[in-house]
Amino acid sequence: IREGKPWNILGDQILITIFFMVWFLVSWFRFRKTIRPFWGALAMNIPMWFATTGLALIMVYAEIPLDIAMAAISALAINATSDFSFYFLEAFQYALGETKNVFSAMVAALRQKGAVITEDEFLNARCFLPLWLFSTFVPIQRLGLTMMVMLVLCLIGTLFILPSVLAITVKHPK
C-alpha cells in the first residue's frame, strides 16, 4: 500500500460520514426527531467500515496488491454500502414512525427491504463476475474477484450489523 491510497480511502469515509450527517440533520424534523444525526451517520458507515476492513484483511492475507485497478474499490464500496444502507434506513424510519417501537421497525425494515438489498447485491456481483472469469489481465481479474467479495461484505454489514447499531441511535421519548 503506497502513494496515499489509504489516505484516499480515509478521506472518502470522512466525506460520506459528513454526507450522512447532513442527511440526518435534514430528516431530523421530517421523521419526528427519531434518530440522532451524529450517531445515525456513524451507524450508517459501519457496513462500509466492516466491508473495507474485511477486504483489507483478505487482501493482506491473500497478498493482493493495492494497485491502480484496486484503487477504485473504496469508491465502489461507498456506493454499494450507501445504496444498501439507504434502502434499509428508509424502511426503518418509516416503520419507526408508524410503530414507535425500535424492534418492530427493525423487523419490518428487514422484511420489506432485505430481499431487495440481497437482489441488488447479486445483480451488482454479476456485473463483476465476467471481469474475474474472462479477463486475461491479472489486475482486472483481481478487481472482479475482490469486488464480489466486497459486495458480500457490504451485504453482511447492512443486513446483520446495521439494524442493531442503528437501533441504538434512536432517541427515545423522555
Side-chain angles (χ1 to χ4, degrees):
I1 297 176
R2 59 187 186 281
E3 299 171 18
K5 288 178 185 77
W7 292 112
N8 290 341
I9 293 169
L10 180 63
D12 289 344
Q13 292 188 345
I14 290 170
L15 286 174
I16 201 68
T17 301
I18 292 168
F19 170 76
F20 280 133
M21 200 174 315
V22 169
W23 191 88
F24 275 113
L25 285 170
V26 169
S27 68
W28 178 252
F29 296 105
R30 181 177 169 215
F31 292 103
R32 302 178 198 103
K33 300 182 179 182
T34 54
I35 297 177
R36 295 177 184 96
F38 177 75
W39 297 112
L42 290 179
M44 292 293 286
N45 274 306
I46 287 178
M48 179 178 50
W49 295 333
F50 171 77
T52 304
T53 303
L55 188 64
L57 292 173
I58 290 168
M59 287 175 66
V60 168
Y61 179 76
E63 297 179 2
I64 298 172
L66 185 57
D67 55 19
I68 294 298
M70 300 301 294
I73 203 151
S74 115
L76 295 168
I78 287 171
N79 184 317
T81 54
S82 297
D83 195 26
F84 299 165
S85 298
F86 271 119
Y87 283 142
F88 179 80
L89 177 66
E90 175 190 24
F92 178 76
Q93 284 186 315
Y94 180 76
L96 187 60
E98 295 290 317
T99 66
K100 308 287 189 242
N101 181 297
V102 174
F103 182 76
S104 296
M106 192 173 20
V107 170
L110 284 170
R111 282 188 180 148
Q112 183 182 5
K113 297 294 182 176
V116 173
I117 294 167
T118 304
E119 184 177 340
D120 190 6
E121 186 277 334
F122 283 118
L123 289 172
N124 282 300
R126 286 194 332 205
C127 293
F128 289 95
L129 184 63
L131 297 179
W132 178 48
L133 293 177
F134 303 120
S135 178
T136 57
F137 188 51
V138 174
I140 299 301
Q141 285 177 340
R142 277 186 256 166
L143 175 65
L145 177 61
T146 55
M147 267 313 297
M148 289 188 305
V149 171
M150 172 67 84
L151 287 165
V152 169
L153 292 171
C154 292
L155 179 71
I156 291 168
T158 302
L159 293 181
F160 296 101
I161 299 171
L162 178 63
S164 49
V165 174
L166 193 58
I168 63 174
T169 68
V170 172
K171 181 179 178 185
H172 298 283
K174 294 178 181 172

